[in-house]
Amino acid sequence: MTPGGLMVDFAGALRDAIQARGLGLERIQERLRAEGYSVSLATLSYWQTGRSRPERRESLAALAELEKILEVEPGSLAALVGPPRPRGRHLHKSAENPELGAFWSERDLIVDLAQGIDTRWDERLTRLSQHDRVNVGPDRGEVSFLVRQVLRAEADGPDRWVAIIRLDVPGNPLPLLTPVRNCRLGRVVEHPESGLLLAELLFDRPLAKGETVITEHALHNYPPFPLATQYERKFRLPVREYVVEVCFDPAALPRAVFQYQQMDGQDEQVTSMEVDVGHSVHAIALDYGPGRYGLRWDWE
């Protein structure tokens, strides 16, 4: 049976158990919390509808407690979850790709927030080209970002790209995300406390295997703009070509700029850069990732 089939069986059994017990999701969440398990209402809903299933250690531990709350045989629901879903079987030879929250300090939080959006197509999209342009204002603040990417479908069906954005200074208003070309905004999950925003960018139509799409979206911060000191992209999956460009206002040029990168499992590499006559700096990476890649700069 396929992993998808297992997930449906688990969801159906969970729905039946919840209905038979006569408890609402809020009451179940309260009972879990009382025993020390933090599971969101959205996660419980996704489990019973088949949109996701418990796979992390914390989720499986909560599932054992959930079986007690629902008064079903111990292990009966867990047995229907099945083994962890394989990663990367559609795009790469490796059986294990980094998880969605890889290279983020908020790894577990991102994985949890991602249950509110559809990430199933992420590993079926090859990153052919990505170009990030950052605009820094005269007050040294992050004003806006423009992201252009070229993606290729490795299976029939991909219909969205998932963007993960985090402010360097949590607590500021989250940026306004605007579709610019060949996409529209889908579901958005925000976590202002950590400065995280996850959003679906829906294509005009589902892609066929081998088909490509060019999308653009923009991010605009609200004034007063947060101080700009770096821009970094995290690559869970490799990219053929990556370009990062930072455009400075002529009235506010940095003292020094550095390009840095850190491939998975390797030490960070740092290279000094120069701002060009157009008051910008850019760096290019080919066949890069998984890993981190970005620019940082000093003002004083």
Side-chain angles (χ1 to χ4, degrees):
M1 187 177 292
T2 65
L6 286 168
M7 184 163 63
V8 172
D9 287 346
F10 165 76
L14 179 60
R15 286 196 305 272
D16 291 344
I18 291 174
Q19 184 176 7
R21 189 73 175 87
L23 294 175
L25 293 186
E26 290 186 0
R27 179 58 178 155
I28 292 174
Q29 183 192 38
E30 291 172 359
R31 295 276 296 272
L32 286 170
R33 186 184 296 120
E35 297 299 326
Y37 299 98
S38 178
V39 182
S40 68
L41 289 175
T43 296
L44 290 171
S45 176
Y46 297 154
W47 285 358
Q48 72 166 349
T49 59
R51 189 164 155 189
S52 68
R53 58 178 175 171
E55 291 186 325
R56 292 184 297 150
R57 182 176 57 186
E58 298 85 350
S59 297
L60 292 173
L63 179 60
E65 183 62 33
L66 182 58
E67 290 173 339
K68 296 179 184 178
I69 295 171
L70 297 178
E71 299 180 353
V72 299
E73 183 179 351
S76 60
L77 292 176
L80 297 174
V81 172
R85 288 169 288 186
R87 305 281 184 181
R89 64 187 184 277
H90 296 279
L91 299 183
H92 309 287
K93 294 182 183 301
S94 171
E96 291 293 334
N97 282 319
E99 65 181 9
L100 190 67
F103 312 113
W104 296 85
S105 57
E106 308 86 350
R107 177 189 300 248
D108 290 341
L109 177 59
I110 288 174
V111 171
D112 188 53
L113 294 176
Q115 297 201 53
I117 57 179
D118 187 350
T119 62
R120 59 181 164 154
W121 298 116
D122 192 57
E123 294 184 3
R124 296 167 173 81
L125 289 167
T126 292
R127 287 81 165 148
L128 296 179
S129 176
Q130 292 185 296
H131 185 167
D132 296 337
R133 189 173 76 222
V134 185
N135 294 305
V136 180
D139 60 352
R140 303 179 178 180
E142 296 176 347
V143 177
S144 63
F145 311 85
L146 180 66
V147 178
R148 176 186 178 275
Q149 53 196 10
V150 183
L151 306 168
R152 184 181 68 205
E154 301 301 334
D156 292 336
D159 63 352
R160 70 197 63 203
W161 167 266
V162 174
I164 303 176
I165 299 104
R166 181 179 68 83
L167 289 178
D168 290 334
V169 184
N172 284 18
L174 292 173
L176 174 66
L177 193 157
T178 306
V180 176
R181 183 182 178 197
N182 295 334
C183 60
R184 65 186 188 279
L185 196 59
R187 285 168 291 191
V188 176
V189 176
E190 298 180 343
H191 195 267
E193 296 84 355
S194 63
L196 278 167
L197 183 153
L198 283 70
E200 298 173 340
L201 292 167
L202 307 177
F203 306 149
D204 294 334
R205 58 178 175 78
L207 302 179
K209 182 178 180 180
E211 194 172 4
T212 57
V213 63
I214 301 174
T215 68
E216 293 181 1
H217 65 275
L219 294 149
H220 297 270
N221 280 320
Y222 296 94
F225 302 115
L227 179 67
T229 58
Q230 70 169 11
Y231 182 86
E232 176 181 290
R233 179 175 282 275
K234 296 171 174 62
F235 294 96
R236 185 174 76 90
L237 299 173
V239 61
R240 295 278 187 87
E241 174 201 62
Y242 176 58
V243 180
V244 56
E245 177 184 13
V246 181
C247 302
F248 297 98
D249 189 280
L253 298 179
R255 179 186 64 84
V257 182
F258 303 93
Q259 180 270 319
Y260 65 94
Q261 63 188 65
Q262 185 176 23
M263 294 278 278
D264 192 14
Q266 300 181 11
D267 293 334
E268 184 180 83
Q269 301 178 30
V270 181
T271 304
S272 180
M273 306 285 289
E274 295 290 338
V275 177
D276 62 27
V277 295
H279 313 115
S280 68
V281 62
H282 72 272
I284 301 173
L286 301 176
D287 296 321
Y288 186 81
R292 307 159 48 240
Y293 193 98
L295 295 172
R296 64 170 70 107
W297 50 92
D298 296 331
W299 291 110
E300 302 297 343

